[in-house]
């Protein structure tokens, strides 16, 4: 409702996505996404086609890596991912899936990424080569003071994740729409936040991109 004056919602989404893909091309880097590409797991064909166009290898030549968030999964269930619009992007080669195991995926120059989709544990970092950045991509709620909701669980504060992230150089989180970043004793933690202002309570929010 807050964005109802938009004459074309797809054009509005394209503005934000163009900024994202232009930045990836400018810096010659892949895009790392911490989940919730879609708002609903069964997005309509028009929306899926739009995502394929906006995130195509032509626009993101270094690749688009992601874990699914709960909105990407039927009933928030990772085992049913094959039924989702998210998985359509995976099968089409638009999204490189980061699985919830010890699989290490090279991404860009001197970087490994490991995934923790919604509901899955953060895997221990696998050090197979020296001199490589190890990055965790996690879809889970994380918060610090001023960037949460009333009564947010203490077990999901930034400090509560420290042991789980030990050994990583950086971690990218999705789920909390209030974006922030913090240095956790040498681990660069980036909570993405929302890519667009969608609701009235986000009117003063500034979306942002992170560059590692």
């Amino acid at each position: 409702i807050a964005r109802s004056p938009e004459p074309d919602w797809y054009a509005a989404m394209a503005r934000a996505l163009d900024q994202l893909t232009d930045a990836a091309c400018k810096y010659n880097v892949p895009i790392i996404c911490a989940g919730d590409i879609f708002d609903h797991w069964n997005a309509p064909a028009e929306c899926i086609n739009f995502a394929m166009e906006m995130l195509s290898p032509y626009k993101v030549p270094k690749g688009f890596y992601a874990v699914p968030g709960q909105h990407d999964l039927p009933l928030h269930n990772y085992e049913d991912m094959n039924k989702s619009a998210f998985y359509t992007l995976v099968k089409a080669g638009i999204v490189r899936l980061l699985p919830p195991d010890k699989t290490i995926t090279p991404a860009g120059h001197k970087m490994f990424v490991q995934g923790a989709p919604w509901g899955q544990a953060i895997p221990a970092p696998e050090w197979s080569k020296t001199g490589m950045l190890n990055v965790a991509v996690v879809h889970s709620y994380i918060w610090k003071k001023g960037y949460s909701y009333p009564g947010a669980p203490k077990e999901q504060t930034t400090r509560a994740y420290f042991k789980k992230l030990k050994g990583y150089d950086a971690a990218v989180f999705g789920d909390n729409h209030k974006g922030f970043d913090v240095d956790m004793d040498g681990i660069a933690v980036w909570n993405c936040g929302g890519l667009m202002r969608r609701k009235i309570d986000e009117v003063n929010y500034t979306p942002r991109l992170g560059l590692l």
Side-chain angles (χ1 to χ4, degrees):
I1 296 173
R3 298 294 294 260
S4 57
E6 291 282 357
D8 184 340
W9 184 237
Y10 281 97
M13 292 190 291
R15 292 196 299 268
L17 290 170
D18 279 339
Q19 288 183 322
L20 174 64
T21 56
D22 286 351
C25 289
K26 177 181 177 180
Y27 293 102
N28 196 32
V29 294
I31 293 174
I32 309 296
C33 173
D36 283 350
I37 292 177
F38 295 105
D39 197 34
H40 300 286
W41 67 271
N42 57 348
E46 181 183 14
C47 188
I48 298 172
N49 294 339
F50 172 78
M52 287 183 174
E53 177 185 354
M54 297 303 301
L55 303 175
S56 71
Y58 173 76
K59 289 197 170 190
V60 192
K62 292 297 181 179
F64 188 101
Y65 300 78
V67 295
Q70 73 269 43
H71 289 267
D72 293 318
L73 299 170
L75 299 177
H76 302 179
N77 187 0
Y78 182 81
E79 284 68 30
D80 288 333
M81 180 179 61
N82 64 308
K83 303 175 183 179
S84 69
F86 177 94
Y87 198 63
T88 300
L89 298 188
V90 174
K91 296 294 284 185
I94 302 298
V95 168
R96 178 75 179 269
L97 172 67
L98 303 176
D101 53 32
K102 292 187 176 183
T103 300
I104 57 173
T105 304
H109 183 58
K110 293 186 177 181
M111 182 170 71
F112 284 143
V113 285
Q114 290 180 245
W118 172 260
Q120 307 296 312
I122 299 173
E126 296 293 310
W127 296 87
S128 62
K129 291 184 180 180
T130 59
M132 302 289 285
L133 285 172
N134 282 257
V135 180
V137 184
V138 185
H139 194 87
S140 182
Y141 194 82
I142 186 173
W143 66 278
K144 67 176 185 176
K145 187 176 180 180
Y147 296 87
S148 66
Y149 58 87
K154 292 182 179 180
E155 61 269 21
Q156 290 183 300
T157 61
T158 53
R159 296 303 307 176
Y161 280 97
F162 179 70
K163 288 185 178 180
K164 298 177 183 179
L165 296 175
K166 191 173 182 180
Y168 284 102
D169 299 295
V172 184
F173 279 79
D175 194 42
N176 183 351
H177 290 188
K178 298 179 179 180
F180 65 86
D181 54 280
V182 63
D183 185 306
M184 191 187 297
D185 294 340
I187 304 170
V189 175
W190 178 270
N191 181 66
C192 298
L195 186 62
M196 298 183 68
R197 289 184 292 268
R198 298 181 303 153
K199 300 179 293 182
I200 193 64
D201 62 353
E202 298 172 344
V203 65
N204 294 318
Y205 176 70
T206 302
R208 67 226 187 101
L209 306 177
L211 179 66
L212 178 63

